[in-house]
Amino acid sequence: MHSIPTDHPRYVSLRIRQRMVAGWERGLAVPEGLLAHGRGEAFDYLLGERTQPEARSAIRAAAANLLLAVRPVISVNGNAASLVPGEIVALARAVPGSVVEVNLFHRSEARARRIARELEAYAKGTVKVLATNTDARLPGLSSQRSKTFRRGMMDADVVFVPLEDGDRAGALKKAGKRVLAIDLNPLSRTARVADVTIVDNIVRALPELIRQVARQKRYPRRRLESLASGFDNAANLRKALSRMLGRLKASDLRF
Ligand code: PTJ
């Protein structure tokens, strides 16, 4: 892979891009995933490529929801598997009783299996990964994303959907689940339909979420409940959007 000089001003972003390309080359991500990543990059640029305060408060609320969940499920697609496989496994280890489910929009059994193998290489048997031989269908979805598991998303009370396409988040809500999302686009359907949306790059948000889960494990249940119920997703999205707008307005366009 082409080496990027460490002093390049866009070094971090270009390295993340290379992770996506490597994921595609290894058959974890689809070409459409590369395009989706590009859309995310544009929003990240507007965010200043930093985890902003709105994202931090959403991360705190997401951690509380995960710890309060009875049957939490962490959903993984090709992009998440390419960018943050180790972090997905670390999160699953940190959240008691959680299950990882490979859930794909452009589904093929071979890719689901490859993603599961990738996660299992990090997990070494410590995490339950559901990937092939789906045994349930999420109602209200005509895409391949409806293929799921009774012991996965169908049974879940809380579903974490990092980097998602919008229709499934809606179907999960209709099925009575609490939905936690990571999405750099605060205008997306997923962002708006989720109970908690972390407007941040998955690469930065997941390590912070793992730290929050570890910290909040010491919190009494009442404190977790107040963190979860005190979070207003619509208000938080408005703040994220106005931060982007503010940064656009403040930028000097007279070159
Ligand atoms: O692996 P599959 O088959 O499940 O397909 C995965 C993709 C991503 C192709 C599929 O879910 C899809 O088409 O997604 P969308 O509808 O393009 O939505 C992806 C959302 O994630 C967009 O709103 C992007 O802005 C956002 N996004 C992209 N990269 C990142 C991101 N959000 C956080 N971190 C990123 N790195």
Side-chain angles (χ1 to χ4, degrees), residues 35-52:
L35 297 173
H37 183 76
R39 184 193 308 169
E41 277 185 347
F43 283 102
D44 206 12
Y45 201 84
L46 296 179
L47 266 186
E49 294 169 323
R50 291 174 55 191
T51 304
Q52 299 288 359

Side-chain angles (χ1 to χ4, degrees), residues 30 32-33 36-37 39-40 43 77-79 83 103-106 111 145 163-165 182-185 188 200-202:
V30 281
E32 290 86 341
H37 183 76
R39 184 193 308 169
F43 283 102
N77 65 13
N79 286 43
L83 292 174
N103 186 282
L104 303 177
F105 184 69
H106 307 278
R111 187 157 69 97
R145 272 221 191 281
L163 217 161
E164 164 83 2
D165 57 283
I182 300 180
D183 196 329
L184 275 161
N185 178 3
S188 77
D200 197 13
N201 198 316
I202 192 173

Side-chain angles (χ1 to χ4, degrees), residues 59-69 209 213 216 223-225 227-228:
I59 288 170
R60 283 193 292 277
N65 272 288
L66 285 170
L67 288 171
L68 287 167
L209 180 60
V213 166
Q216 291 186 20
R223 187 159 175 201
L224 295 178
E225 283 166 353
L227 272 170

Side-chain angles (χ1 to χ4, degrees), residues 49-106:
E49 294 169 323
R50 291 174 55 191
T51 304
Q52 299 288 359
E54 300 75 53
R56 288 189 193 282
S57 57
I59 288 170
R60 283 193 292 277
N65 272 288
L66 285 170
L67 288 171
L68 287 167
V70 180
R71 287 178 301 276
V73 166
I74 299 168
S75 176
V76 179
N77 65 13
N79 286 43
S82 303
L83 292 174
V84 283
E87 289 83 350
I88 294 275
V89 167
L91 181 67
R93 274 193 187 134
V95 175
S98 63
V99 168
V100 175
E101 176 172 333
V102 179
N103 186 282
L104 303 177
F105 184 69
H106 307 278

